[in-house]
Structures are given as structure tokens and as C-alpha cells.
Amino acid sequence: MKRILVTGATGQIGSELIPALRKRYGSENVIAAGHKTQPDKELSEGGPFLSLDVRNFAAVEKIVKEHRIDTIYHMAALLSAFAEKDPLLAWDVNINGLRNILETGRKFQCSVFFPSSIGAFGPSTPADDTPQDTIQRPTTIYGITKLTGELLCDYYFHRFGIDARGLRFPGLISYKTMPSGGTTDYAVEIFYAAVRGKRYECFLKQGTRLDMMYMPDAVRAAIQLMEADPAKLIHRNAFNVTAMSLAPEDLYREIKKHIPEFTMTYKIDPMRQAIADSWPHSMDDSAARKEWGWKPEYDLAAMTQEMIERLSERFEQ
Ligand code: AKB
């Protein structure tokens, strides 16, 4: 049985990835590690939870050694808008954190999952049908850390044989844990506002089209890639994956089918708009489809219906 460590356990992805991994591999085999000392009940009661700052190499090493870890899902990172406010902290967490994970992985022969992002592309990348292998000149510190992370993972694989795999995630939409400090956060906030009967003020302008995905697909993609037959992986790392390409008005229109009285206005945040404008509109994820069978299950309609149902249940309680 695998012994798995998930960093960034209390974050948007970690909080849904961990229950899925625990269901698959057994609760005791999945160690959740996050910088918050007070995780929610599901995380802390569902299996082992440890407090960890990924910048602390000795602490990472201790956990991997003591818990006989063989696979690390390294989800701890600062998101794009937050990173732009504190670039040095973003470098420290996103790069030094990853270096600690890869080095520990090298020492203890662990496989590593690294989440890259649409942020690893920049304004000179083709924005439509963005190829798997293309120009990458990101202009945000977040993008620079994600691209560096992709390269570091490749380096550790070629140089030391570490099985480092990863995906370029689009904006992720989920009802369980709010993202914090991302450019695509509007696509989650809009649902919370709609379900609570509030008007939503969108910080990205109309027509800002970006790749998006519903969290269950993202969690499935990460696990599926880590379980994929290595002989079939040509890329191994930094796979484009997407489920839909949306602008704020597309989400607004779909939500209104369920909540007709919902209203949305726009108040543009120049920093997040500039970040979004430097990212692709829609990625070509055919390499992921071909090499390990990626296929999203949720489209805009299915995701919207489930988001509204789940959030309504939560707010009715
Ligand atoms: C962000 O907006 O920073 C993230 C991402 C697309 O990587 N959600």
C-alpha cells in the first residue's frame, strides 16, 4: 500500500484531494500536512494531520522519514494575486518549498506530484488552443515560480530518476474550501454570492476568457496521472488539462438559469485583470488525453447545477 504525504492540506485542492486519496488508499496511509494548526473536522478526524511549513527542510525530511512516505502530492503554494503582492514570499514558498520536497524525494525515493498552472504561460504564448509545448515567458512571479517548478521537476527526473509528474491546472471551481489570492477566484465567489441572494461584483471584465475545471475532475486528474503507466508518458510532467473555457458572463448566464433574480456588476481589479490578460483562453490538452486517458466529466451546466445544490444545502443548515 502507498504511503502518501499531501502538503497544502487545508488549501482549496488539498482539502478535497485528501479525502479522495484516503478513500482510495486508506485513511492511515495519507498524511495531511498544512501550515494551519486548526484544520476542519473532516481533515483532522479523517486521518493523520501534521503541521508543516514546507520551507523547513528538516521538518519535511522528518515527516517523510518517520511516516515512510513514498509519494508526495505537493500542493502548498501561494496563488497568483497573493504572490504578486509579496513576490519574495511567493518565491520562498513556491520554489524553496518545492526544492525541499524534491530533495527529500531524492533522498527517500518518493514520487512527486507538482501542480503547475495556466499561469506558467505568458502574453507571448498562443492564447487559443495553447499547445502542450510552446513559448513560456510568464510575466507574473506566480508564473515564474510555476514554470521554474515544471523545469525543476523535469531536472530531478532526468538527473536523479525522481518520478516527478504534474499538471497545468486551470482555474478550479469548488464548494468546499474557498481559494485564496487567485485570479480565477471570481468563478468561486460568484456562486457563494448567488446562493446567498447577494449581488456579485466581478473583478475581471466581461470577455475575460480562461480555462476552468470543477474540483472533482481536478482531483481525479491528479490521482489518474500519478497512477498512469510510466511507459505511456511522453511528457510525464506539466500536462495541459482543461474542462471548459469561460468568461464571467458565461458563468453568470448559467447561474441565472437556476437563480433568475441573481445580478452581477463589474468593478475591475487592474492587477488581477492584467494577470488574467497574460494567460491563455483555452489550452489544448490532447497530450494528457492521449498519454494517460484524461477526460473531464463536468461541463459548465453539470458543474453549475452541483455547485448550486451543494452550496444551497450548506447555507440552509
Ligand atoms: C490562480 O488564479 O492563481 C490559480 C491558478 C489558475 O493557478 N487559480
Side-chain angles (χ1 to χ4, degrees), residues 192-237:
Y192 278 73
V195 167
R196 286 158 141 169
K198 295 192 175 148
R199 176 174 64 86
Y200 183 61
E201 198 165 67
C202 186
F203 58 76
L204 293 185
K205 68 180 178 224
Q206 201 164 340
T208 308
R209 207 154 52 77
L210 294 168
D211 282 296
M212 298 279 174
M213 187 184 290
Y214 190 39
M215 188 60 84
D217 274 335
V219 164
R220 203 169 41 79
I223 298 174
Q224 201 177 327
L225 172 63
M226 290 306 278
E227 290 181 352
D229 177 357
K232 296 204 171 120
L233 299 179
I234 298 163
H235 288 87
R236 179 174 298 267
N237 173 34

Side-chain angles (χ1 to χ4, degrees), residues 14-285:
S15 59
E16 298 204 33
L17 175 64
I18 289 161
L21 288 170
R22 284 183 170 157
K23 206 166 154 199
R24 201 167 176 82
Y25 299 110
S27 302
E28 289 309 308
N29 293 320
V30 180
I31 315 298
H35 69 278
K36 274 192 206 153
T37 44
Q38 281 296 319
D40 71 11
K41 252 180 149 192
E42 189 181 2
L43 265 192
S44 57
E45 291 176 8
F49 180 89
L50 301 170
S51 176
L52 173 69
D53 180 341
V54 292
R55 294 172 298 172
N56 182 340
F57 181 72
V60 173
E61 202 180 38
K62 186 167 182 278
I63 291 178
V64 169
K65 191 174 173 192
E66 279 179 6
H67 294 268
R68 293 170 288 105
I69 299 296
D70 56 43
T71 306
I72 307 173
Y73 285 80
H74 177 48
M75 314 313 287
L78 259 59
L79 294 184
S80 54
F82 195 49
E84 219 48 56
K85 286 187 183 144
D86 195 340
L88 292 184
L89 181 66
W91 183 266
D92 199 15
V93 174
N94 293 11
I95 295 301
N96 295 334
L98 175 63
R99 182 206 55 196
N100 290 344
I101 295 294
L102 287 169
E103 259 310 288
T104 309
R106 180 169 76 89
K107 220 164 153 182
F108 296 93
Q109 289 303 304
C110 303
S111 311
V112 173
F113 175 83
F114 171 68
S116 186
S117 158
I118 49 174
F121 297 114
S124 51
T125 301
D128 291 299
D129 251 338
T130 305
Q132 173 66 42
D133 303 305
T134 185
I135 301 164
Q136 285 180 270
R137 303 285 292 174
T139 47
T140 63
I141 188 69
Y142 177 69
I144 293 167
T145 65
K146 287 298 178 189
L147 175 55
T148 307
E150 291 182 3
L151 295 172
L152 259 184
C153 287
D154 283 348
Y155 177 75
Y156 269 76
F157 171 64
H158 291 298
R159 179 81 166 81
F160 305 116
I162 294 307
D163 190 2
R165 306 183 184 188
L167 304 171
R168 290 182 185 133
F169 278 129
L172 297 179
I173 299 174
S174 63
Y175 59 86
K176 209 160 160 188
T177 305
M178 284 290 263
S180 74
T183 301
T184 56
D185 292 10
Y186 89 85
V188 179
E189 292 170 3
I190 190 173
F191 282 101
Y192 278 73
V195 167
R196 286 158 141 169
K198 295 192 175 148
R199 176 174 64 86
Y200 183 61
E201 198 165 67
C202 186
F203 58 76
L204 293 185
K205 68 180 178 224
Q206 201 164 340
T208 308
R209 207 154 52 77
L210 294 168
D211 282 296
M212 298 279 174
M213 187 184 290
Y214 190 39
M215 188 60 84
D217 274 335
V219 164
R220 203 169 41 79
I223 298 174
Q224 201 177 327
L225 172 63
M226 290 306 278
E227 290 181 352
D229 177 357
K232 296 204 171 120
L233 299 179
I234 298 163
H235 288 87
R236 179 174 298 267
N237 173 34
F239 281 98
N240 287 0
V241 282
T242 184
M244 51 197 114
S245 168
L246 301 177
E249 64 274 22
D250 300 323
L251 257 181
Y252 174 59
R253 243 182 275 118
E254 193 61 32
I255 292 172
K256 269 181 90 71
K257 290 182 189 166
H258 300 261
I259 308 174
E261 63 282 10
F262 177 51
T263 57
M264 179 170 86
T265 53
Y266 292 89
K267 186 171 178 219
I268 309 313
D269 169 2
M271 189 188 69
R272 283 183 285 189
Q273 185 64 50
I275 295 174
D277 289 342
S278 75
W279 288 355
H281 304 148
S282 66
M283 288 186 289
D284 169 5
D285 61 5

